[in-house]
């Protein structure tokens, strides 16, 4: 539909119909009984709904769209939206896991596949990607983001937006992304969900905004403000960030969609007296679509009467929504993409294979003493113990609305398929949560004693993760700790598989006890097979942590991008920054992860020693596989600016790269680094580039010991002052 037609449509709309377009309803529209006056069908029929969330599938979508097209006055099609965070029917690893793959192609591919499935189910919009950088495992929603680093989240944003919106060949297989939650939701106080966010402007600009900037640059269709406030300004009313920054400075032209009931929640936030004030604040801030609070429908007619908002402001929002529907192709193809056959892992085998690959790439082997993995042929009898061993449902993670847990592969099944020659005994030994099961522990110990080794599968259930799932002690549940102690006491070699949604704060004995530890954040439909592949040695692990695993809760936040401080940490100096009762760094940090191969790095080299603004330098390093297995190395490039106007993090990630190498093979990895990448926010949060030295660290993790350093100098031509000339 062209601009003129959209304007013509707006000119025909009543206020109720305009506010209807601005309202999103959570509903099912296949009616099986008598209807009430507020029934969703009635609301659609009266033009009071513009789009529907949490509805998918052939019958539902067809019926809802039929009502919109046949029974409403203006016949404007509905759009349908669902949270497709890590897959639609085929479920991929949770974002925190997939980020550990450090693989942009993978991130893009799984988004495109999810878009393909969701559009076949009639969906047009997803509330993803979630881009809340987070450094706090207490927050349940940490599982939805790409970890602790701004650059990783930004790269993840670009890949996901492109995968959802622009990758599939047919336009009807593309899904509009809504990047969320703008902004800094990941910094909620103490990791308590919905709590206040009080961070510096510097943290906002350096850490939390860049992923959203990347999403906007990639052309994301929508942005969702977070439930929270920032420094006292509720995000759903934050004109400074939503209008002045997002719309005006960044030039964002898509729709801004509120979070669920978030406009109404401006009242309990204490910034709006009633629903009228809430609606005014949200509209003035720039929110186009009200998800489920009813504030626009109820509040804006009164606000208009009182002169608190104008019809032009309402029309601006309606125009954006109609433009979005037009870009989706809904006016021409209201049932775009919809098919009767249910798309998913049983009907699209390529997606199932891709989910297995994604799950394998997301696994992080963090400990492997004496090469316990891959399992040697001498291991004949294996005891698979723990409440997560046979937990199909938990593998699916928090956002799997259309996913079918019956399709998910448990760890036990995956091991049975991969280890056909071995005897596998299975004993749960404990529940996921709740009191210790003494009889269960006794059976587990007996099974361990009768085996050559134990695979101990501990973790969380899906309800422990995601929204409203904050924990002050994100650690193993007591019943699982009792089980682990008893199993360790048998003295059998243990592989601990941690099937969690977030970093767990492990007791030291629990990290020390097992010979090998595999971090298996919920891996989705194919989780179990991926684990089987790694344990059997059919896949050489390549995942690296995108999030630090602290030693103690009291260290939080702990991440690789800390600053030097005026008293840098020095183990020999008591008056340097440190803890008396814990190390300063995490137990396992950013980039940590093992492979069955060994990789060695040569010396890093730069193509020129000095660059000026806008110039690019090549930074190269030789990587050699000195191990006996073919494998995939992950190489990170960090920088550090040792002298600047503002204190700088000790390391800032600028790029990452994979290299597949056969035993004995070497390759030269070359990164391009532009001087603009050394810019940092000045005191006005404008990007600033200083003359002077930059240290470049290339390595296999964020640990200095794994890195090679090379330096470069920035020298900008002096500014010519024309007046003086
Ligand atoms: C609330 C969540 O905060 C948001 O992420 C999600 O998209 C909406 N509910 C809709 O399900």
């Amino acid at each position: 539909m062209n601009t003129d037609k959209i304007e013509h449509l707006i000119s025909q709309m009543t206020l109720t119909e305009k506010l209807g377009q601005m309202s999103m309803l959570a509903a099912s529209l296949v009616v099986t009984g008598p209807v009430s006056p507020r029934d969703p069908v009635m609301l659609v029929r009266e033009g009071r709904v513009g789009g529907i969330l949490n509805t998918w599938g052939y019958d539902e979508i067809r019926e809802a769209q039929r009502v919109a097209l046949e029974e409403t006055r203006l016949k404007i099609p509905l759009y349908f939206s669902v949270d497709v965070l890590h897959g639609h029917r085929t479920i991929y690893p949770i974002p925190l896991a997939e980020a550990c793959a450090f693989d942009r192609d993978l991130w893009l591919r799984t988004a495109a596949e999810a878009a393909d499935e969701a559009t076949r189910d009639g969906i047009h919009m997803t509330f993803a990607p979630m881009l809340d950088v987070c450094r706090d495992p207490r927050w349940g929603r940490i599982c939805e983001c790409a970890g602790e680093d701004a650059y990783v989240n930004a790269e993840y944003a670009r890949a996901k937006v492109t995968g959802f919106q622009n990758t599939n060949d047919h336009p009807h297989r593309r899904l509009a992304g809504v990047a969320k939650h703008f902004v800094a939701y990941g910094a909620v106080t103490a990791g308590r969900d919905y709590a206040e966010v009080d961070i510096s402007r510097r943290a906002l600009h350096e850490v939390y905004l860049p992923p959203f900037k990347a999403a906007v640059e990639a052309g994301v269709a929508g942005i969702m403000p977070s439930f929270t406030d920032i420094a006292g300004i509720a995000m759903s009313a934050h004109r400074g960030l939503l209008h002045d920054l997002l719309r005006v400075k960044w030039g964002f032209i898509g729709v801004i969609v509120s979070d669920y009931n978030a406009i109404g929640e401006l009242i309990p936030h204490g910034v709006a007296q009633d629903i009228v004030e809430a609606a005014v604040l949200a509209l003035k801030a720039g929110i186009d679509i009200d998800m489920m609070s009813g504030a626009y429908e109820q509040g804006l007619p009164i606000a208009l009467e009182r002169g608190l908002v104008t019809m032009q402001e309402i029309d601006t929002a309606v125009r954006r929504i109609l433009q979005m529907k037009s870009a989706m192709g809904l006016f021409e193809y209201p049932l775009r993409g919809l098919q009767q056959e249910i798309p998913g892992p049983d009907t699209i085998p390529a997606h199932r294979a891709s989910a297995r690959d994604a799950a394998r790439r997301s696994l992080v082997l963090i400990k492997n003493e004496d090469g316990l993995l891959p399992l040697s042929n001498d291991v004949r009898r294996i005891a698979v113990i723990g409440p997560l061993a046979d937990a199909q449902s938990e593998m699916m993670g928090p956002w799997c609305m259309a996913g079918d847990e019956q399709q998910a592969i448990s760890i036990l099944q995956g091991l049975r398929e991969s280890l056909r020659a071995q005897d596998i005994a299975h004993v749960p030994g404990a529940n996921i949560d709740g009191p210790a099961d003494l009889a269960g522990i006794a059976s587990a110990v007996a099974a361990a004693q009768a085996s050559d080794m134990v695979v101990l599968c501990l973790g969380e259930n899906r309800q422990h993760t995601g929204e409203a799932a904050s924990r002050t002690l994100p650690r193993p549940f007591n019943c699982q700790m009792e089980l682990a102690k008893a199993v360790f006491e048998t003295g059998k070699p243990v592989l601990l598989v941690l099937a969690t949604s977030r970093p767990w704060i492990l007791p030291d004995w629990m990290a020390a006890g097992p010979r090998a530890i595999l971090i298996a954040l919920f891996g989705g439909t194919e989780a179990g097979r991926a684990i089987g592949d790694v344990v059997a040695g059919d896949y050489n692990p390549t995942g690296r942590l995108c999030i630090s695993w602290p030693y103690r809760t009291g260290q939080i936040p702990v991440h690789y991008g800390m600053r030097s401080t005026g008293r840098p940490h020095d183990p020999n100096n008591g008056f340097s920054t440190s803890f008396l009762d814990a190390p300063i760094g995490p137990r396992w940090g950013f980039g940590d992860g093992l492979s069955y191969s060994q990789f060695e790095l040569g010396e890093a080299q730069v193509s020129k020693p000095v660059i000026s603004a806008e110039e690019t330098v090549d930074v190269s390093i030789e990587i050699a596989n000195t191990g006996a297995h073919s494998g995939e190395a992950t190489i990170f490039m960090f920088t550090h600016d040792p002298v600047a106007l503002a204190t700088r993090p000790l390391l800032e990630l600028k790029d990452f790269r994979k290299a597949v190498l056969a035993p004995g093979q070497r390759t030269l990895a070359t990164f391009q680094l532009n001087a603009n990448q050394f810019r940092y926010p000045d005191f006005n949060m404008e990007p600033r580039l200083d003359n002077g030295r930059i240290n470049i660290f290339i390595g296999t993790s964020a640990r200095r010991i794994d890195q090679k350093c090379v330096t470069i100098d920035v020298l900008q031509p002096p500014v010519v002052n024309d007046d003086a000339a």
Side-chain angles (χ1 to χ4, degrees):
M1 183 176 267
N2 64 27
T3 316
D4 290 348
K5 283 191 177 152
I6 288 178
E7 291 310 319
H8 179 64
L9 191 52
I10 294 174
S11 72
Q12 289 178 290
M13 293 169 86
T14 62
L15 177 60
T16 304
E17 286 162 341
K18 288 178 183 175
L19 300 180
Q21 287 304 308
M22 294 165 68
S23 301
M24 193 193 292
L25 183 73
S28 158
L29 275 96
V30 171
V31 180
T32 53
V35 291
S36 76
R38 293 292 294 177
D39 183 274
V41 177
M42 296 283 285
L43 294 174
V44 172
R45 196 174 282 137
E46 290 167 7
R48 291 173 185 271
V49 177
I52 292 186
L53 82 144
N54 295 349
T55 292
W56 62 88
Y58 190 72
D59 294 337
E60 292 271 350
I61 301 292
R62 260 196 354 160
E63 174 57 9
Q65 205 63 299
R66 188 196 63 74
V67 175
L69 294 174
E70 292 178 10
E71 300 184 18
T72 64
R73 195 177 74 89
L74 291 175
K75 309 195 181 332
I76 302 174
L78 295 163
Y79 64 86
F80 296 88
S81 47
V82 173
D83 290 275
V84 181
L85 265 287
H86 51 104
H88 179 60
R89 289 193 187 256
T90 303
I91 302 300
Y92 300 92
I94 56 172
L96 194 67
E98 211 191 33
C100 292
F102 286 97
D103 186 335
R104 300 169 181 92
D105 295 342
L106 173 75
W107 299 338
L108 181 143
R109 185 184 83 216
T110 57
E113 290 170 1
D116 178 274
E117 289 187 11
T119 54
R120 288 171 198 252
D121 249 344
I123 298 303
H124 312 124
M125 177 198 275
T126 172
F127 308 117
M130 192 275 215
L131 303 176
D132 299 320
V133 175
C134 182
R135 293 150 175 196
D136 194 336
R138 293 173 297 186
W139 193 45
R141 303 200 78 168
I142 194 170
C143 63
E144 297 177 46
C145 79
E148 71 186 38
D149 181 65
Y151 176 76
V152 175
N153 275 273
E155 291 295 281
Y156 178 84
R158 282 184 226 284
K160 288 294 174 194
V161 170
T162 310
F164 286 136
Q165 298 192 170
N166 302 321
T167 301
N168 292 333
D169 288 342
H170 198 289
H172 295 175
R173 292 275 165 261
R174 298 181 192 161
L175 199 54
V178 177
K180 67 187 187 184
H181 307 84
F182 191 77
V183 53
Y185 188 6
V188 280
T189 302
R192 177 164 45 85
D193 210 0
Y194 316 124
E196 60 267 45
V197 171
D198 208 345
I199 56 169
S200 70
R201 284 180 73 213
R202 178 161 302 281
L204 184 65
H205 284 263
E206 283 182 7
V207 179
Y208 297 100
L209 284 171
F212 288 95
K213 182 95 185 305
V216 170
E217 285 166 4
V220 75
I223 296 278
M224 179 188 288
S226 73
F227 282 128
T228 57
D229 70 336
I230 290 195
I233 306 182
M235 273 311 308
S236 297
H238 207 311
R239 190 173 161 86
L241 286 175
L242 294 177
H243 178 269
D244 301 349
L245 181 87
L246 183 59
R247 287 250 183 252
V248 178
K249 196 158 180 194
W250 291 0
F252 175 64
I253 53 168
V255 292
I256 301 186
V257 186
S258 88
D259 204 342
Y260 204 106
N261 194 40
I263 300 180
E265 288 168 18
L266 292 173
I267 302 170
H269 263 297
V271 297
Q273 176 78 24
D274 54 24
I275 208 79
V276 179
E277 276 188 23
V280 172
L281 283 171
L283 185 70
K284 297 269 180 203
I287 296 182
D288 303 303
I289 298 177
D290 174 1
M291 184 196 287
M292 283 304 285
S293 85
Y296 279 178
E297 189 201 3
Q298 294 161 42
L300 288 182
I302 301 169
L304 202 57
E305 247 173 52
R306 292 185 191 157
L308 300 173
V309 297
T310 64
M311 192 61 92
Q312 286 73 23
E313 286 168 321
I314 291 173
D315 286 351
T316 301
V318 174
R319 187 172 297 115
R320 285 196 197 108
I321 295 160
L322 295 177
Q323 279 164 352
M324 176 190 79
K325 289 186 174 184
S326 168
M328 287 170 171
L330 288 174
F331 288 103
E332 291 82 9
Y333 307 100
L335 294 179
R336 77 190 271 274
L338 185 66
Q339 68 171 38
Q340 203 157 8
E341 190 188 5
I342 292 175
D346 46 345
T347 53
I348 311 185
H351 291 188
R352 180 151 217 146
S354 174
R356 182 172 183 164
D357 181 53
R360 301 194 299 200
R361 292 182 165 278
S362 306
L363 294 170
V364 181
L365 179 64
I366 204 72
K367 181 178 180 186
N368 193 20
E369 268 174 21
D370 306 324
L372 181 68
L373 296 188
L375 281 197
S376 97
N377 287 336
D378 300 341
V379 176
R380 308 306 309 166
R381 292 164 308 163
I382 302 173
V384 179
I385 293 174
L388 268 292
D390 195 16
Q392 271 180 304
S393 165
E394 317 322 325
M395 299 299 108
M396 307 281 279
W399 285 114
C400 52
M401 319 220 356
D404 174 5
E405 62 187 51
Q406 299 304 324
Q407 297 277 334
I409 307 298
S410 70
I411 302 175
L412 182 65
Q413 185 180 337
L415 291 172
R416 285 205 161 121
E417 288 180 14
S418 291
L419 305 171
R420 287 175 191 277
Q422 278 89 345
D423 268 355
I424 294 187
H426 167 231
V427 180
N431 292 320
I432 292 183
D433 200 358
D437 169 3
L438 297 181
I441 291 178
S443 319
V445 167
Q449 277 161 344
S451 69
D452 300 324
M453 76 159 296
V454 175
V455 179
L456 178 61
C457 305
L458 305 183
E460 297 170 292
N461 69 32
R462 275 162 51 190
Q463 286 67 43
H464 293 135
T465 84
E467 193 177 339
S470 299
R471 295 181 65 197
T472 57
L473 294 173
R475 67 173 188 195
F477 301 94
N478 284 338
C479 57
Q480 297 193 35
M481 289 208 271
E482 295 301 319
L483 174 67
K485 262 186 212 145
V487 168
F488 295 164
E489 275 166 18
T490 65
K492 295 288 176 177
V494 175
L495 159 64
L496 174 61
V497 178
L498 289 169
T500 68
S501 69
R502 58 174 122 198
W504 258 5
I505 317 293
L506 299 179
D508 294 340
W509 60 264
M510 203 177 209
R515 286 247 312 261
I517 302 179
L518 187 62
I519 294 179
L521 303 173
F522 295 143
T525 305
E526 286 288 310
R529 288 203 179 108
I531 293 169
D533 290 339
V534 164
V535 172
D538 298 333
Y539 187 79
N540 186 353
T542 171
R544 300 290 178 265
L545 290 183
C546 67
I547 181 86
S548 298
W549 283 54
Y551 281 99
R552 308 273 181 273
T553 311
Q555 288 181 298
I556 296 172
V558 57
H559 55 95
Y560 86 82
M562 313 286 279
R563 287 167 150 80
S564 151
T565 81
R567 294 189 174 191
H569 178 65
D570 173 357
N572 302 316
N573 176 0
F575 289 92
S576 70
T577 184
S578 21
F579 292 110
L580 288 178
D581 57 356
I584 185 165
R587 183 187 296 285
W588 299 311
F590 184 90
D592 284 355
L594 302 168
S595 159
Y596 298 150
S597 316
Q598 279 78 48
F599 299 107
E600 276 175 26
L601 298 180
E603 292 309 316
Q605 303 203 323
V606 284
S607 57
K608 48 189 152 190
V610 181
I611 55 172
S612 68
E614 311 295 337
E615 261 194 288
T616 297
V617 61
D618 285 348
V619 189
S620 31
I621 195 159
E622 192 179 69
I623 313 160
N625 180 351
T626 56
H629 300 262
S630 288
E632 195 172 296
T634 309
I635 311 294
F636 301 95
M637 178 173 64
F638 302 93
T639 59
H640 174 230
D641 184 343
V643 183
L645 200 62
T647 63
R648 305 302 306 144
L650 283 170
L651 287 177
E652 294 178 79
L653 186 67
K654 299 296 177 188
D655 205 349
F656 53 84
R657 176 82 42 101
K658 297 272 190 179
V660 179
L661 294 170
Q665 195 184 349
R666 300 168 177 275
T667 190
L668 194 69
T670 302
F671 295 91
Q672 270 80 43
L673 197 49
N674 187 280
N676 280 320
Q677 290 174 271
F678 307 142
R679 290 184 190 273
Y680 62 92
D682 68 10
F683 293 153
N684 296 315
M685 300 302 123
E686 293 300 330
R688 174 187 171 94
L689 179 66
D690 293 327
N691 284 341
R693 179 139 296 188
I694 298 287
N695 299 319
I696 303 168
F697 298 93
I698 301 195
T700 51
S701 82
R703 292 177 201 262
R704 283 280 161 90
I705 194 170
D706 294 334
Q707 298 167 350
K708 298 293 166 107
C709 180
V710 64
T711 60
I712 190 157
D713 289 311
V714 176
L715 188 60
Q716 301 168 81
V719 179
V720 180
N721 184 338
D722 286 339
D723 293 346

